[in-house]
Amino acid sequence: MGITAVLTRPPGPAPAPAVVSWRVYARLAKLDIYDYYLATPLLLAMLLPAGGPGPAGYAVLALFLAGGVAMFAGGCSFDDVTGYRDGSDATSYGPDAPARRLARKPLIAGSLGEAQAVRFAWLAIAVQFACWTGALLLAPVRPGWAVLSIAACAFAGFQYSWWLKLSYHGWQEFLLAFYGWVFVVAPYGLITGRIGSFALVQALVFGLGPLLFGVYSNINDIAGDRAVGRRTVAALASPRGNAAFIAALSLLEAALLVVPSLTGLAPWWFAALMSPVIALRAGQFTLGLAAGEVLRARRLGIHTHRVCCALLVAACLINGGVA
C-alpha cells in the first residue's frame, strides 16, 4: 500500500450502528490485554505476608486498578481514533496484514463510529481521574514521589496519541515501561509510604514486560508509522539498529533479574527463580529477529510477561513480602 493510501482514511465503511454492543467497546478498550493490571496481584503478594494493606489499602488498590483499566480504555480508544484518522491503522490492519485481527479495530471494521469512540474515550478518562483522585484521598500516606508519579501517568495516559501525541514524538517506548513502573510503585507508596530495594527491582522488571512485547508490534507497524511520522525506534532505526535496541532491553531485563541477587538488593535465590524469564526472552528474540516471526514473537512476549508476573508473585510469597 502506497504512502498516499495510508495518509488518508480508509474507504468509508457502512454507517456505524446506533446501538453498539458492549463487546465492540471491549475490543476498542483492548480489555483482553490485561498485562498492566497484573500489578494488582503483585502488590497483594508484596503486602499480604506482612499483615496486608489494611482496609484503606484495599480501597487504594481497588480504585487504582479501576482507574488503570479506565486509563487504558480511554488511551486505546484515542489511539484507535488517531490511527483511523491518519490512516496508519489501515496499513497495519488492512487486507495486506491478515495476521492482525480486524475486529480489534472497530473503527476500521465499521462496527463503531468515530464520534462514538471519542465519547467513550472521554468518559473512560473521566472515570480514571475520579478513581485515582479517590485513591489519593483514601491513601494512608501520600509521599510526594507517589503523587507526582500518578499525576504524570494520568497526564501521559490520554496524551499518548491524543493532543500532544507523545507516542508520535519519540516517547512511546519510555511510556510503555513507565506505565508499568507507576502501576507498581505508586499504589505501594500510597499504602506504605516507602519503596524498598526489592520492591523497586520488581517494579522495574514489571514495567519492562509490556515494553518487550510492544517493540515487536512496532516492527509490524513500521510502514504505517513512517508514513504518518510516528517516531518509534523501529521506524527510525535500521533493522540492525532496532535489533540492537531490543537486544539491549532484553539484556537490561536479564540484568535486573540477576544482579540484585549478587548485590543483596534481592534474595540470593531470586535469579534462579526468574531464570525461565531469561530463557523465554532469548527465545522471543530469536523468533522475532532471527526467524522474522514478529507477531508470534509478540505473543510469546505477552506470555513471557505473564510468566514473569507469576514468578514475581511467588518470589514475594517465598520472601514473606518485600518490607
Side-chain angles (χ1 to χ4, degrees):
M1 185 177 291
I3 291 179
T4 302
V6 299
L7 289 177
T8 60
R9 296 189 188 189
V19 179
V20 179
S21 166
W22 66 267
R23 292 180 179 85
V24 174
Y25 285 111
R27 288 194 291 269
L28 181 71
K30 308 298 183 286
L31 293 183
D32 59 321
I33 302 298
Y34 53 82
D35 298 86
Y36 284 103
Y37 316 142
L38 295 175
T40 300
L42 176 58
L43 285 161
L44 286 171
M46 289 178 173
L47 297 165
L48 283 174
Y58 281 116
V60 168
L61 289 177
L63 285 168
F64 199 88
L65 174 61
V69 173
M71 183 189 91
F72 282 109
C76 289
S77 300
F78 279 136
D79 192 62
D80 276 14
V81 172
T82 299
Y84 176 74
R85 288 177 175 177
D86 64 25
S88 57
D89 278 352
T91 297
S92 300
Y93 289 83
D96 55 339
R100 302 292 285 269
R101 290 178 294 167
L102 187 61
R104 289 180 57 78
K105 293 290 181 177
L107 289 168
I108 300 295
S111 54
L112 186 72
E114 184 180 322
Q116 292 168 312
V118 172
R119 284 196 298 269
F120 175 78
W122 280 121
L123 175 62
I125 296 303
V127 171
Q128 175 206 351
F129 275 67
C131 288
W132 283 6
T133 299
L136 286 169
L137 292 174
L138 293 175
V141 286
R142 286 181 286 274
W145 57 266
V147 175
L148 287 175
S149 67
I150 291 171
C153 191
F155 173 79
F158 77 97
Q159 297 290 326
Y160 182 80
S161 56
W162 197 253
W163 288 354
L164 294 181
K165 298 184 179 179
L166 296 174
S167 67
Y168 279 64
H169 300 293
W171 288 89
Q172 190 210 64
E173 289 85 1
F174 172 76
L175 289 175
L176 290 178
F178 176 71
Y179 298 146
W181 296 333
V182 173
F183 271 44
V184 176
V185 300
Y188 188 84
L190 293 180
I191 294 169
T192 68
R194 63 185 186 280
I195 185 75
S197 60
F198 192 28
L200 182 59
V201 166
Q202 296 198 52
L204 292 173
V205 171
F206 181 87
L208 285 177
L211 173 58
L212 278 165
F213 59 79
V215 289
Y216 289 88
S217 292
N218 287 347
I219 297 173
N220 189 74
D221 296 342
I222 285 174
D225 287 344
R226 283 178 176 169
V228 300
R230 194 170 198 167
R231 298 171 62 84
T232 66
V233 173
L236 293 174
S238 66
R240 179 173 293 182
N242 187 51
F245 172 68
I246 295 174
L249 290 176
S250 302
L251 290 172
L252 174 60
E253 181 188 58
L256 286 169
L257 296 175
V258 173
V259 174
S261 289
L262 302 177
T263 58
L265 297 177
W268 63 268
W269 45 260
F270 180 67
L273 178 69
M274 303 303 296
S275 59
V277 176
I278 299 174
L280 286 169
R281 200 66 77 189
Q284 181 190 11
F285 184 86
T286 302
L287 182 64
L289 279 302
E293 296 284 347
V294 173
L295 294 181
R296 287 182 61 198
R298 177 186 181 273
R299 286 194 295 272
L300 178 56
I302 293 172
H303 295 314
T304 300
H305 177 63
R306 294 172 185 176
V307 169
C308 181
C309 290
L311 292 174
L312 290 175
V313 167
C316 291
L317 298 177
I318 294 170
N319 194 56
V322 295

